[in-house]
Amino acid sequence: MSSTAAVALPLYPYQRRWVQDEARFKIAMFARQCGKTFTSTLELALDCARADVAGQRRRWVILSRGERQAREAMNEGVKLHLQALQAGFAAYEYEWQSGIKALEVELPGGSKITALPANPDTARGFSANVLLDEFAFHQDSRAIWKALFPVISKPGLKLRVISTPNGKGNKFYELMTGKDDGWSRHSTDIYQAVADGLPRDIEELRRGAGDPDLWAQEFELQWLDGASAWLDYDLIDGCDHPDAGRPELYQGGPCFVGVDIASGRGRDLFVVWVLEQVGDVFWTREVIADNTIGPLQQPEVLADVFARYRVLRCCMDQTGMGETPVAMARQRHGASRVEGVLFTPPAKLALATLGKERFEDRRIRLPATPEVRADLHKLQKVTGPTGAPRFVADSDGSGHADRAWACFLALSAGSQGAGAIGYTPALRHPRGFDNLAASALAGRGLQMRADAQYAGGDGALPEAGCAW
């Protein structure tokens, strides 16, 4: 690689400003879909490649919020840049400590870039330049910071911190809003990125977000304190996992089901949320959410769930039109296994409180889909005219927090304790959703599917501006 090849890479202006800023300590907020991880890993690749040409060594560590994000930063950022720079490297993957994998590339001259999940132990384990990726979403961000900052105190070591906002209750907010402290600060919202040439349809993204708070925080970079949201994004993101929401990973353990009833004619969703208890953690195995499944079809959908999982207990919304479905389910699956829940204000408060406790204790694992994330954050606790608390959620094209209530119902079912029941699993089909009773559904054209896994992340290559 020539020493000038690095500066020839075409970038959008906001990307150039970040990459070319050589401040020792710098921090940036980037909107979603703007390639912040891709851009930031470019600086690391350039630094190592230049050092290699000069006969020097550089050491960089990327601390991500989880193993999946660390892998994305390495595979969709660092390696792509090094390949584009025609810089030779060897790639390794090893066990950094029990349960924590490290991904690493090493250049011929000895420069290295390592990516791994962030925690206080990994933060203090290296003396190197550091990139904190999506720092606002790291668990124990303050503890990570206390462990990390002394490590990079050696003269000449650099620190880069990037994220989208995630409320005000984390170290990223404190760093980003500081003043006169030696930090170089950058901020690029979706409007600035598009003005700089990033090809994005802002209105299409806004409609697709389906949540004003999500749009304001993650695209407009507004600081939301989450005071009105019952579950803030930090709680939700702390419980997501790429293996959740995948029926094929069901281990045969005891399951608990929550059902939110709907008419099948409007915006409200009929939702079945299936949790498998593994140790003391409730893993989401399947989320069925559809506003076209009518009252005649819903019992068969639920019966299919009972056939495919070892369901110990099922809690169903019994309010209003839920009376008949609950009665049918109790008759079909047993009164000891099916419980109807009337959504009175005290009952909703109890459900929501139990649900929030499980999130705070990280005893639930969620599919990382934007639909689930937005629905859980949609629920708000407000105070009525008499001072009594109540829960509200804006109704939109994806219902009014129907997934959230189904999730809370499933957690409530799981709080009753597990008992032994006889169980013979139904035959599994490849997709896990197509073994409904044909006689009951013939001619109805019903299609079911769980929420698909959402890879998410911002490691995707921005289209035109980062073409090599």
Side-chain angles (χ1 to χ4, degrees), residues 205-263:
L205 287 174
R206 191 200 308 274
R207 291 193 301 269
D211 183 330
D213 284 350
L214 182 150
W215 177 258
Q217 182 162 263
E218 301 199 9
F219 289 89
E220 296 181 329
L221 306 184
Q222 297 182 27
W223 299 106
L224 303 183
D225 60 13
S228 60
W230 184 243
L231 299 176
D232 61 36
Y233 285 124
D234 201 19
L235 277 179
I236 297 167
D237 293 335
C239 295
D240 72 29
H241 195 283
D243 288 343
R246 298 175 59 187
E248 68 272 17
L249 297 183
Y250 175 48
Q251 299 179 14
C255 290
F256 303 93
V257 175
V259 181
D260 194 46
I261 302 295
S263 67

Side-chain angles (χ1 to χ4, degrees), residues 14-15 30-40 458-460 462:
Y14 70 89
Q15 294 173 315
F30 289 90
R32 294 285 185 193
Q33 302 293 322
C34 291
K36 59 181 172 293
T37 302
F38 186 88
T39 304
S40 299
D458 291 313

Side-chain angles (χ1 to χ4, degrees), residues 269-291:
L269 298 170
F270 168 69
V271 183
V272 181
W273 193 295
V274 182
L275 296 174
E276 180 186 8
Q277 186 171 0
V278 181
D280 64 348
V281 176
F282 293 96
W283 280 83
T284 302
R285 290 304 178 209
E286 186 170 350
V287 180
I288 300 169
D290 199 317
N291 64 355

Side-chain angles (χ1 to χ4, degrees), residues 186-198:
H186 297 244
S187 181
T188 302
D189 61 19
I190 189 64
Y191 306 107
Q192 181 62 55
V194 171
D196 279 353
L198 183 70

Side-chain angles (χ1 to χ4, degrees), residues 1 44-54 82 85 87 107 111:
M1 187 204 81
L44 277 57
L46 291 172
D47 192 35
C48 289
R50 285 168 171 160
D52 221 46
V53 170
L82 290 175
L85 294 168
L107 278 69
S111 294

